[in-house]
Amino acid sequence: MSMEVLREIFTLPNIIMMNIGMAAGTVIGAMPGLNVIFAIAILLPLTFGMDSLAGMYLMLASYCGATYGGSITAILINTPGTPNAAATTFDGYPLAQRGRAGDALKAALVGSTAGGILSCFALIFFAPKIAKIAYHIASPEYFALCLFGVCCVIGISGKDIFKGIIMAFAGMSLSTVGISMLDGTSRFTFGSQNLLAGFRQATVMLGVFAISEVLIKLRGLSKDDITSIDTKFEKSHLRTLDILKHWKVISLSSLIGIIIGAVPGTGGALSAMFSYDTARRMSKHPEEFGHGSIEGILAPESGNNAVTGATLIPLLTLGIPGDAAVAVLLGALTMQGITPGFALFNDGSTWVWAIMLGLLVINIFMFLQGQLFIRLFVNVTKVPIIVLLPCIVVATVMGSFAIANTTFDVFVMIAFGLIGYVLRCLNFPISPFVIGLVLGEIAEVNLRRSMMIGGPTIFFTRPISLAIILISLVMLCMPLIKKVRQGRKS
């Protein structure tokens, strides 16, 4: 089977999609204010009608590229391209100010590649084992896992946990529009033929992420945004082997990223911050952190890129997205008619192994592109945002129309863009909404099946289901527990 998998990976269309996705993701990630989810969402419509493997390579490459690309602006202009790169500014920018921008960018590239590769090995090792366990999981456990994913993302969605609950409930409610999968009943269509298939996840995500992001940027435009930013780039004098001497920091940060990434609802920003703090506490020279430490760049970049492979573990084995970015990937799989889960490892074992090993190849291409085209990627920071925003709007409109060739989807995207803009202005978190939308249909189907099998008590009589529900409640209540502890300390 190994030769068959390699033949699937190393075809010309797949290699081209990997490199296009990597370049596009890096460019989008390097644009201040945009994020990883935006990079995936903007490329999602291109996968429609494409071979499933090539489409997934395009999305995965943009995922990895955008995660790495955020470090470019974080280092050069002290503005993280994505939230995942916020911790990279602590030492990346000070090092660039000392005339070592090239060294800082090289360290970010090596750390990102190392974290990504180590997370690929974790995916390859753990995913098949978890898939075997998942074979024994029934509807009650699947509903409990969906509940776990939603509770995790609500628990870390912000200071106001009730806003997170509202958004998750709104996303899950939206997933009920259309014809029911179990009994064929038409629900909440209001007589519209366009709503019989429900709201397409890709269309909604383009609206709440891309269009709302454009509106947010338009609201904050200033005279400085009309002109380009002058960035300086100095060539790196560090060798890759010199950077790899800090292998302990890279390994520990990657391990942190893998653990955090495998937990649904977390993400790269949390991993980067935790990795940076851990590296500083364990360093022999903690006084150098914040003043241009190489370890201070390697830690967050290894941590946030190690998330990329780990988030695919719950996605491929259980159909549960690891974070909001992977939720968009799940939308791409749905468009291709692929259902993640344990059956994927049996029925489509060649495909799933091609995905896991292909992610390893993608990370290698990330290193090669970073080495060859770093000067080109740096020039992205010079593009005025006033030029960039209209291009984004045109791309999203074309993409939403291409999904099903209907103008209805374009209007849906614009409507959800306006809704997303209002919600973001009111500080409502978007991630719980997306996770709720993606998991809503899975949760509903398995809830109704479980109720037909054994009634409400079935969730509490099965040990695995009960354990997952209890853990979910703990994750949901974690912010409240922290507030109580802080109140007692004060």
Side-chain angles (χ1 to χ4, degrees):
M1 189 182 72
S2 58
M3 290 303 298
E4 187 179 350
V5 170
L6 292 176
R7 282 196 298 269
E8 288 282 344
I9 296 173
F10 293 103
T11 63
L12 184 60
N14 289 344
I15 297 298
I16 291 173
M17 287 300 107
M18 288 180 187
N19 282 278
I20 290 176
M22 179 58 63
T26 305
V27 168
I28 293 172
M31 295 176 182
L34 303 184
N35 54 37
V36 177
I37 305 171
F38 179 87
I40 302 174
I42 202 74
L43 294 175
L44 176 61
L46 299 180
T47 63
F48 185 75
M50 191 183 294
D51 178 74
S52 62
L53 205 55
M56 282 301 293
Y57 285 154
L58 178 71
M59 306 286 284
L60 288 172
S62 67
Y63 183 22
C64 297
T67 305
Y68 155 66
S71 66
I72 296 174
T73 42
I75 290 167
L76 294 177
I77 58 176
N78 201 29
T79 304
T82 65
N84 294 358
T88 309
T89 60
F90 301 158
D91 284 275
Y93 186 67
L95 193 62
Q97 291 292 95
R98 286 161 45 189
R100 297 181 60 191
D103 291 343
L105 290 168
K106 180 72 172 287
L109 175 62
V110 173
S112 298
T113 305
I117 288 175
L118 289 174
S119 73
C120 289
F121 285 124
L123 172 65
I124 292 168
F125 180 77
F126 288 111
K129 297 183 183 301
I130 295 175
K132 290 179 180 179
I133 298 172
Y135 185 77
H136 302 285
I137 293 178
S139 292
E141 286 77 23
Y142 266 106
F143 172 76
L145 284 169
C146 291
L147 184 66
F148 175 68
V150 173
C151 289
C152 282
V153 78
I154 289 173
I156 63 164
S157 59
K159 295 180 181 179
D160 195 340
I161 190 173
F162 296 105
K163 287 184 177 179
I165 293 173
I166 292 170
M167 292 299 287
F169 179 77
M172 297 184 79
S173 300
L174 196 67
S175 69
T176 62
V177 175
I179 297 176
S180 171
M181 291 180 62
L182 287 180
D183 53 23
T185 305
S186 178
R187 305 173 301 181
F188 306 112
T189 59
F190 304 102
S192 173
Q193 297 292 322
N194 292 310
L195 289 176
L196 288 176
F199 290 105
R200 292 179 178 84
Q201 294 174 2
T203 305
V204 174
M205 290 175 187
L206 278 173
V208 296
F209 286 122
I211 297 298
S212 66
E213 187 69 41
V214 169
L215 295 174
I216 291 287
K217 289 289 179 293
L218 283 173
R219 187 182 66 170
L221 276 180
S222 64
K223 292 181 179 179
D224 296 333
D225 295 314
I226 300 175
T227 58
S228 61
I229 302 170
D230 183 25
T231 54
K232 296 180 180 179
F233 174 78
E234 293 89 7
K235 188 177 180 181
S236 174
H237 300 288
L238 275 177
R239 296 181 306 165
T240 302
L241 291 176
D242 295 330
I243 299 173
L244 290 176
K245 289 179 181 178
H246 302 282
W247 62 271
K248 290 183 180 179
V249 173
I250 294 173
S251 301
L252 179 61
S253 300
S254 299
L255 179 62
I256 292 170
I258 290 167
I259 294 172
I260 290 177
V263 177
T266 50
L270 176 65
S271 173
M273 288 293 184
F274 192 64
S275 298
Y276 181 86
D277 184 60
T278 304
R280 182 178 57 186
R281 286 189 284 106
M282 298 188 67
S283 175
K284 294 180 180 179
H285 304 284
E287 70 282 355
E288 295 180 1
F289 279 68
H291 302 284
S293 169
I294 292 293
E295 290 184 347
I297 299 171
L298 289 172
E301 286 303 306
S302 299
N304 63 30
N305 277 269
V307 167
T308 55
T311 52
L312 295 183
I313 296 175
L315 174 69
L316 294 178
T317 57
L318 304 171
I320 307 295
D323 60 12
V326 180
V328 185
L329 287 176
L330 182 56
L333 285 176
T334 305
M335 286 171 57
Q336 297 286 351
I338 296 171
T339 305
F342 64 87
L344 197 62
F345 286 80
N346 296 327
D347 301 335
S349 56
T350 302
W351 185 91
V352 76
W353 277 103
I355 287 293
M356 294 190 292
L357 291 174
L359 186 61
L360 185 64
V361 178
I362 286 170
N363 278 277
I364 295 172
F365 279 132
M366 179 170 70
F367 180 76
L368 294 176
Q369 283 198 17
Q371 288 278 69
L372 296 173
F373 306 123
I374 188 64
R375 282 186 177 273
L376 181 63
F377 294 145
V378 166
N379 288 329
V380 174
T381 62
K382 300 179 182 179
V383 178
I385 197 167
I386 197 71
V387 175
L388 181 65
L389 294 180
C391 298
I392 292 172
V393 172
V394 171
T396 52
V397 170
M398 292 174 62
S400 60
F401 179 80
I403 292 172
N405 293 324
T406 63
T407 54
F408 177 77
D409 282 344
V410 177
F411 291 121
V412 168
M413 181 198 67
I414 294 171
F416 276 101
L418 294 172
I419 292 169
Y421 170 73
V422 173
L423 290 172
R424 292 174 69 173
C425 289
L426 297 175
N427 295 319
F428 278 85
I430 300 297
S431 293
F433 174 79
V434 174
I435 297 295
L437 174 64
V438 171
L439 294 181
E441 186 176 333
I442 305 171
E444 182 200 357
V445 169
N446 287 287
L447 172 63
R448 294 177 66 180
R449 284 176 180 169
S450 302
M451 296 290 285
M452 287 188 287
I453 294 171
T457 57
I458 192 171
F459 300 105
F460 307 102
T461 56
R462 297 173 69 95
I464 297 177
S465 173
L466 177 62
I468 296 172
I469 290 173
L470 292 175
I471 295 171
S472 302
L473 294 175
V474 171
M475 293 298 295
L476 185 64
C477 297
M478 192 62 70
L480 298 176
I481 294 171
K482 287 181 179 179
K483 284 184 180 180
V484 172
R485 286 182 176 179
Q486 289 174 356
R488 288 180 177 177
K489 288 180 180 179
S490 61

